[in-house]
């Protein structure tokens, strides 16, 4: 069992269960409903050996809570264990307000728990039994998805550990050689990467849908420019970090109406580009309103409070809504 903190009696592992959410009416935040917490406690307690301890956090969290170094993560898990008892409790308080989440149209939401294995026994890792783990993921995923959708009726929700059938059908069409792992017991850095890889698709689709609805537009009214963005570019050394998609009204070549980021993560950058192209085509774009901008953009060029996205003309610009509109779409980025 991979652990983040070990004390005299137990090895402690932080487990994150990400789910993606989008809504025009605000995203899930604050305390999880009791029936969701009961589901998690009952299913996971039954699945774990009796010698294990389980702590479940009451609050829905954002990825910002876990944007820390390995050393800081170790300290966080130690703090959670030392300041709580096994069971359901507020290990990490959300601190998000309604205003915070109402400004988001789509985001990754996280459920956190700590699993502790005793040091004095030879107990196998959490995922040693593939069949049992797969059945648990499917059972828990199906029930959790149903409960979350019941409580957030105006919200589109999908799980990273157990993809819904429509999501799998979509990935079959666009993923190509990219792998999208469904896992429950995965270490936090890896499950957050899997969440981010899926959220690229989720965010792009929601961004396009939001634009079409907000401004009464069709795909044929839009155009997208895709640029490659590098970290610390220098002579002979380029580190591709992400592609960025600048979306504008057709013919408005110097402005960006909406921006979406598409991080490369640990995927081959050529395959990543192919996945993005297939995704845009599936959304309805073609050669007439889709182009790659063949320039090298350093991420350092971003403004302090706003990401920049490529225009159809190949320059960089902040997303701006039309002056006559009152609704301003916000850039979709991974938190």
């Amino acid at each position: 069992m991979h652990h983040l903190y070990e004390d005299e009696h137990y090895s402690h592992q932080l487990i994150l269960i990400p789910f993606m959410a989008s809504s025009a009416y605000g995203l899930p935040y604050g305390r999880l409903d009791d029936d969701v917490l009961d589901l998690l406690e009952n299913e996971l307690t039954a699945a774990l050996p009796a010698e294990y301890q389980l702590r479940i956090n009451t609050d829905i969290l954002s990825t910002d809570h876990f944007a820390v170094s390995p050393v800081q993560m170790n300290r966080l898990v130690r703090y959670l264990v030392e300041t709580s008892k096994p069971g359901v409790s507020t290990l990490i308080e959300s601190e998000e307000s309604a205003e915070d989440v109402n400004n988001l149209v789509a985001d990754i939401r996280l459920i956190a728990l700590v699993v502790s294995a005793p040091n004095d026994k030879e107990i196998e890792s959490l995922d040693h039994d593939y069949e049992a783990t797969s059945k648990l993921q499917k059972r828990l995923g199906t029930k959790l998805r149903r409960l979350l959708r019941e409580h957030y009726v105006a919200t589109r929700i999908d799980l990273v550990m157990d993809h819904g059938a429509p999501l799998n059908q979509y990935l079959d069409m666009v993923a190509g050689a990219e792998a999208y792992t469904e896992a429950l017991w995965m270490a936090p850095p890896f499950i957050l990467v899997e969440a981010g890889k899926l959220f690229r698709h989720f965010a792009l689709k929601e961004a396009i849908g939001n634009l079409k609805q907000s401004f009464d537009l069709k795909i044929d009214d839009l155009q997208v420019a895709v640029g490659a963005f590098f970290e610390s570019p220098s002579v002979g050394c380029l580190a591709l970090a992400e592609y960025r998609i600048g979306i504008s009204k057709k013919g408005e070549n110097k402005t960006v109406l909406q921006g979406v980021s598409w991080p490369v993560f640990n995927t081959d950058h050529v395959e990543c580009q192919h996945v993005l192209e297939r995704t845009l085509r599936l959304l309805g774009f073609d050669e007439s309103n889709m182009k790659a901008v063949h320039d090298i953009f350093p991420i350092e060029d971003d403004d302090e409070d706003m990401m920049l996205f490529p225009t159809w003309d190949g320059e960089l610009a902040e997303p701006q809504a039309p002056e006559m509109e009152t609704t301003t779409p916000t850039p979709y980025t991974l938190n």
Side-chain angles (χ1 to χ4, degrees):
M1 175 181 174
H2 172 78
H3 60 273
L4 289 172
Y5 167 62
E6 184 175 343
D7 59 24
E8 183 179 354
H9 303 290
Y10 289 90
S11 296
H12 307 279
Q13 170 68 64
L14 175 68
I15 301 293
L16 300 178
I17 302 178
F19 65 95
M20 299 172 295
S22 67
S23 176
Y25 304 99
L27 301 183
Y29 77 102
R31 183 185 170 91
L32 286 161
D33 288 276
D34 287 339
D35 52 357
V36 175
L37 294 169
D38 289 343
L39 169 67
L40 293 167
E41 185 174 33
N42 294 338
E43 289 287 346
L44 296 175
T45 299
L48 292 169
E51 298 89 349
Y52 279 56
Q53 292 182 352
L54 174 66
R55 293 169 170 83
I56 300 174
N57 191 50
T58 57
D59 288 10
I60 299 171
L61 304 174
S62 73
T63 56
D64 292 341
H65 287 89
F66 305 101
V68 296
S69 69
V71 171
Q72 291 171 316
M73 183 72 77
N74 181 282
R75 291 173 181 167
L76 171 62
V77 176
R78 177 176 181 173
Y79 171 79
L80 299 181
V81 170
E82 292 181 348
T83 58
S84 66
K85 295 180 179 180
V88 176
S89 62
T90 306
L91 306 174
I92 306 175
E93 189 174 358
S94 166
E95 297 183 354
E96 288 181 319
S97 65
E99 182 180 0
D100 293 332
V101 294
N102 285 340
N103 289 330
L104 295 172
V105 179
D107 196 16
I108 300 169
R109 309 274 81 193
L110 298 172
I111 300 171
L113 51 108
V114 175
V115 178
S116 306
N119 294 330
D120 60 348
K121 295 191 178 182
E122 191 70 29
I123 296 180
E124 295 178 279
S125 64
L126 291 172
D127 56 356
H128 75 281
D129 188 332
Y130 176 79
E131 183 177 357
T133 298
S134 297
K135 288 181 178 178
L136 172 62
Q137 281 180 217
K138 189 64 180 177
R139 184 173 64 252
L140 181 59
T142 299
K143 294 179 179 179
L144 182 58
R145 185 185 295 106
R146 175 178 57 80
L147 283 180
L148 290 172
R149 288 175 176 173
E150 285 179 2
H151 288 294
Y152 307 104
V153 292
T155 304
R156 179 182 167 223
I157 289 174
D158 225 316
L159 299 174
V160 174
M161 72 170 182
D162 180 57
H163 304 162
L167 177 56
N168 275 330
Q169 292 170 2
Y170 163 83
L171 290 175
D172 285 342
M173 291 185 282
V174 301
E178 276 194 349
Y180 293 80
T181 304
E182 296 173 276
L184 173 58
W185 303 128
M186 188 176 285
F190 299 105
I191 197 64
L192 290 176
V193 167
E194 292 305 315
K197 285 163 60 180
L198 276 177
F199 188 67
R200 298 175 304 181
H201 298 275
F202 200 79
L204 180 56
K205 184 175 181 180
E206 294 303 313
I208 298 296
N210 184 48
L211 282 179
K212 290 164 63 179
Q213 181 177 9
S214 298
F215 304 117
D216 191 24
L217 298 170
K218 300 177 182 178
I219 291 294
D220 288 343
D221 300 319
L222 299 172
Q223 58 190 17
V224 292
V226 179
F229 284 72
F230 294 80
E231 292 180 332
S232 303
S234 60
V235 176
C237 180
L238 292 175
L240 178 62
E242 63 188 8
Y243 295 100
R244 292 187 191 174
I245 305 107
I247 311 169
S248 58
K249 284 186 178 181
K250 190 175 288 186
E252 297 184 1
N253 299 340
K254 299 183 181 299
T255 61
V256 174
L257 183 60
Q258 178 77 71
V260 183
S261 65
W262 193 276
V264 174
F265 292 116
N266 55 356
T267 306
D268 175 78
H269 72 277
V270 175
E271 180 59 28
C272 182
Q273 186 176 5
H274 290 163
V275 172
L276 175 53
E277 181 179 348
R278 286 193 290 268
T279 300
L280 289 168
R281 289 184 182 279
L282 188 62
L283 290 171
F285 293 94
D286 57 30
E287 287 78 5
S288 67
N289 58 352
M290 175 176 65
K291 69 182 294 188
V293 177
H294 298 289
D295 278 324
I296 295 173
F297 297 114
I299 288 180
E300 288 79 2
D301 282 354
D302 283 345
D303 289 348
E304 183 177 346
D305 299 318
M306 180 64 71
M307 293 176 67
L308 300 175
F309 295 88
T311 67
W312 189 262
D313 281 351
E315 302 298 326
L316 293 180
E318 295 181 0
Q320 297 289 338
E323 293 183 2
M324 72 287 294
E325 302 288 351
T326 58
T327 303
T328 304
T330 55
Y332 286 69
T333 60
L334 292 176
N335 286 339

